[in-house]
Amino acid sequence: MSLYVRFAAHLNAALDALEADGVLPAGLERRSITVEPPRDASHGDLATNAAMVLAKPAGTNPRVLAEAIAGKLNALDTVAAVSVAGPGFINLTLIDDVWRGEMTDIAGQGDGYGRSTSGQGVTVNIEYVSANPTGPMHMGHCRGAVVGDALASLLEFAGHQVIREYYVNDAGGQVDVLARSAHLRYREALGETIEIPEGLYPGDYLKPVGAELAAEYGDRFVGAEEGEWLALFRTRAVAAMLVMIRADLALLGIHHDLFSSEAELQAAGKPEEAEAWLRERDLVYDGVLEAPKGETPEDWEPVELPLFRATRFGDDQDRPIKKSNGSWTYFGADMAYHFQKAQSADQLIDIWGADHAGTVKRIQAAVAALTEGKTRFDVKLVQMVRLLRGGEPVKMSKRAGNFVTLADVVREVGKDVVRFTMLTRKADAQMDFDFAKVVEASKDNPVFYVNYAHARVHSMKRRAAEAGIADGPADLSLLGTDELSLVKLAAQFPRVVEGAAAAREPHRIAFYLYDLAAEFHSLYNAGNDDPARRFVIADRPDLTRARLALGDAIGQVIRNGLSIMGVAAVTEMG
């Protein structure tokens, strides 16, 4: 149980006591009450809005109620002072032993420090990446892959059961284009000189697929009609692309639990099931769409189609689930896919590229209808990444087919640099990835700065051992105000985890780690000007051990945060 949760329990006990005293009426709603760090650290260690939340429904003055609550909290032996500010905010200052105890908790809980049970009993399905299986992963896919994977780890850390899923779009026209491209490479492998026409995939990555098909089938399909080979080549090419995609994702440390096939979904009749379910509830009807804007009646031929009543659920218009030829629209198939996912999860999250923003409302409407509003569904939009080298745009790869592969980037700068960098901005904000900047050893590079803090902790321990200071119990009473201020920031980690999980925002972990590293570096650097403030002082083994214990606590929190991000903590900087 985190410090903030413990003090929320103390606050609830104080409110219960005021109810018993008749100061507060029983049964007031408390869900909006918070216990958090005050915005201004000079105001204390904790702040609560309890009086502001409860005063109006209690029919009392918020400041008067705040004074009554403060009186109850002041009786706690862990509270050094309580004050009421403004119209009724309550600020608490805790005794120093609370923060020393937090250091002990960090050491005792180790890798489990910051873990939460807030998501216990909740299964979340996160679908991320889901790139078309038409080639290797490129940097356009990278950010969504990292955001989705880090979010999955974050939710697991917060107690959720998580299903990591990749949706394979293998039923659309793009896989037929892939099959035709593979057929050209097949002919090439048999000795024919080919040219890749506009509209087909030009990358060399299909050459091995063509070679395998040539070795297996010889010239059987060289002059054959497309109908004789298209399905076979499509199946084989998609399978080869998925092997490549899995390998590319593995370079980033990403492994999905499920790869769900759109083609298999349709073959199993899942869209028909979804349509029948919706028709039973009068949520699909046969109707005619309005003419698109700009079309004249002479240009528009109305066709009766099955339409989903999306407008009942906040969308701008009702949506067709089938085309005029009877095949499923992309929306119709996607709707069925989400219907399938919702049957094995309590909550759904999709990580999409920002170019899919226009489809968010309709799929939210579909999920709301298909789950009768019982399933929380979030769509996280991820902006593209602009690749630079020293400020100049990076040239594309001809081998890959005019894009920069994820594999090439990971091999150049490393998995951890890529993952951390992708989380240094909010997912829906534009991002530049500069190959020179992401490996720069400076405060401006969060990847370096956070890892440097962790490496410094280990460096201090090595220097202490070289100075002959043996390991032993640490007297934490020797830590002063500045050291305990750092502990106060470290103690916010469990709260940051819960907040980031609730908001579905893994970048908050990266932001927090940067702030924690900055405070640690500031405290460490204070020893450059004042030798008495150094972490390792050869003739003060007792003080050194206390400060090393502080360093260990900070290092542990950094490791735990980095583990959520899928980044390894380094012990030495190269």
Side-chain angles (χ1 to χ4, degrees):
M1 183 185 295
S2 75
L3 179 145
Y4 292 90
V5 173
R6 292 200 305 273
F7 274 85
H10 290 320
L11 175 60
N12 270 317
L15 297 176
D16 290 343
L18 290 174
E19 284 186 6
D21 294 344
V23 175
L24 281 174
L28 294 181
E29 178 57 62
R30 299 181 186 178
R31 279 184 298 182
S32 299
I33 294 174
T34 59
V35 176
E36 57 191 2
R39 292 181 181 177
D40 186 341
S42 67
H43 292 167
D45 299 323
L46 302 175
T48 178
N49 62 351
M52 307 288 290
V53 171
L54 299 176
K56 186 173 182 179
T60 188
N61 179 285
R63 188 158 181 108
V64 171
L65 179 55
E67 294 288 356
I69 297 171
K72 296 292 185 183
L73 295 175
N74 203 35
L76 295 170
D77 58 8
T78 50
V79 172
V82 184
S83 63
V84 176
F89 290 105
I90 302 168
N91 296 316
L92 293 84
T93 300
L94 308 182
I95 63 173
D96 287 348
D97 278 348
V98 168
W99 306 111
R100 296 185 181 107
E102 193 70 15
M103 283 181 59
T104 302
D105 286 347
I106 293 171
Q109 294 177 36
D111 293 345
Y113 183 74
R115 285 191 178 273
S116 168
T117 58
S118 62
Q120 194 166 18
V122 178
T123 299
V124 184
N125 179 298
I126 305 182
E127 181 219 325
Y128 57 106
V129 190
S130 297
N132 290 337
T134 54
M137 302 295 296
H138 58 72
M139 283 302 286
H141 306 129
C142 180
R143 194 176 183 191
V146 172
V147 169
D149 201 58
L151 178 54
S153 296
L154 170 63
L155 291 174
E156 286 175 335
F157 205 76
H160 300 76
Q161 179 73 34
V162 175
I163 301 169
R164 292 166 159 88
E165 187 158 350
Y166 187 119
Y167 185 43
V168 183
N169 300 117
D170 56 356
Q174 77 278 355
V175 290
D176 287 341
V177 173
L178 177 72
R180 295 181 187 111
S181 305
H183 188 261
L184 280 178
R185 295 301 187 182
Y186 156 77
R187 287 160 50 192
E188 182 182 43
L190 291 169
E192 187 176 334
T193 300
I194 64 162
E195 287 187 12
I196 308 295
E198 188 76 23
L200 296 190
Y201 298 113
D204 290 352
Y205 56 84
L206 282 173
K207 285 185 175 181
V209 179
E212 287 180 12
L213 289 164
E216 186 171 348
Y217 294 103
D219 62 1
R220 174 178 168 185
F221 299 115
V222 171
E225 294 292 325
E226 184 177 279
E228 295 182 40
W229 53 260
L230 187 67
L232 169 65
F233 277 57
R234 181 172 58 223
T235 299
R236 293 289 292 272
V238 167
M241 294 306 98
L242 286 175
V243 169
M244 187 183 302
I245 286 169
R246 282 187 170 97
D248 287 346
L249 290 172
L251 291 174
L252 272 177
I254 294 174
H255 305 275
H256 289 79
D257 301 310
L258 290 174
F259 278 76
S260 295
S261 161
E262 181 184 359
E264 290 177 7
L265 181 91
Q266 294 194 27
K270 296 300 180 181
E272 287 85 357
E273 287 182 24
E275 180 185 6
W277 192 93
L278 290 167
R279 282 190 182 275
E280 285 175 9
R281 292 155 179 80
D282 190 32
L283 294 175
V284 165
Y285 66 99
D286 295 317
V288 177
L289 290 173
E290 294 181 8
K293 290 181 180 179
E295 294 279 354
T296 65
E298 293 76 21
D299 298 327
W300 171 248
E301 182 180 346
V303 178
E304 188 174 76
L305 298 169
L307 304 178
F308 165 59
R309 296 187 189 276
T311 50
R312 286 192 184 177
F313 302 91
D315 197 5
D316 303 323
Q317 63 184 71
D318 291 345
R319 303 288 178 177
I321 62 173
K322 282 184 178 178
K323 302 174 186 176
S324 57
N325 65 4
S327 64
W328 296 98
T329 62
Y330 184 83
F331 169 71
D334 210 26
M335 182 178 67
Y337 167 58
H338 284 80
F339 189 38
Q340 175 177 278
K341 288 197 293 185
Q343 291 167 6
S344 60
D346 305 301
Q347 299 178 1
L348 306 178
I349 302 173
D350 287 355
I351 309 295
W352 291 353
D355 55 332
H356 288 77
T359 63
V360 172
K361 269 190 178 181
R362 69 190 68 172
I363 202 64
Q364 286 178 331
V367 172
L370 290 163
T371 67
E372 299 177 294
K374 297 173 184 174
T375 299
R376 176 179 173 179
F377 174 51
D378 294 312
V379 176
K380 291 294 180 183
L381 296 176
V382 179
Q383 287 286 350
M384 293 288 287
V385 178
R386 189 170 64 139
L387 290 179
L388 305 171
R389 192 179 296 277
E392 295 297 321
V394 173
K395 291 181 180 179
M396 300 300 172
S397 162
K398 290 183 180 178
R399 182 192 175 281
N402 291 324
F403 56 80
V404 177
T405 68
L406 182 153
D408 286 342
V409 176
V410 172
R411 290 184 182 116
E412 179 171 342
V413 301
K415 168 184 80 73
D416 293 336
V417 168
V418 173
R419 288 190 66 118
F420 197 117
T421 303
M422 292 298 140
L423 295 168
T424 53
R425 298 204 71 188
K426 195 173 180 180
D428 60 2
Q430 294 284 348
M431 170 179 280
D432 287 348
F433 184 100
D434 192 311
F435 285 87
K437 293 288 186 183
V438 298
V439 295
E440 190 177 78
S442 77
K443 182 180 179 180
D444 295 329
N445 178 8
V447 186
F448 166 81
Y449 202 54
V450 172
N451 260 322
Y452 186 31
H454 189 266
R456 251 183 174 168
V457 170
H458 285 263
S459 174
M460 293 182 328
K461 294 170 75 172
R462 288 191 293 268
R463 285 192 288 109
E466 290 166 1
I469 299 174
D471 287 338
D475 181 0
L476 301 183
S477 68
L478 297 174
L479 298 177
T481 301
D482 289 344
E483 287 97 342
L484 294 181
S485 291
L486 186 56
V487 178
K488 293 175 185 181
L489 183 54
Q492 291 186 32
F493 180 62
R495 181 176 169 274
V496 170
V497 167
E498 288 199 355
R504 312 317 203 202
E505 293 185 341
H507 70 273
R508 293 190 187 190
I509 303 299
F511 288 12
Y512 167 80
L513 291 182
Y514 184 86
D515 290 343
L516 182 63
E519 290 297 315
F520 171 73
H521 287 308
S522 178
L523 184 63
Y524 182 93
N525 292 333
N528 294 335
D529 299 322
D530 183 357
R533 299 185 66 182
R534 291 175 181 166
F535 273 75
V536 178
I537 304 174
D539 59 356
R540 289 294 308 275
D542 51 350
L543 181 57
T544 297
R545 277 191 286 268
R547 288 177 175 170
L548 290 180
L550 171 62
D552 281 340
I554 302 308
Q556 184 67 67
V557 173
I558 289 174
R559 281 196 301 280
N560 292 0
L562 290 177
S563 73
I564 292 172
M565 298 168 66
V567 175
V570 303
T571 56
E572 290 185 74
M573 301 300 287

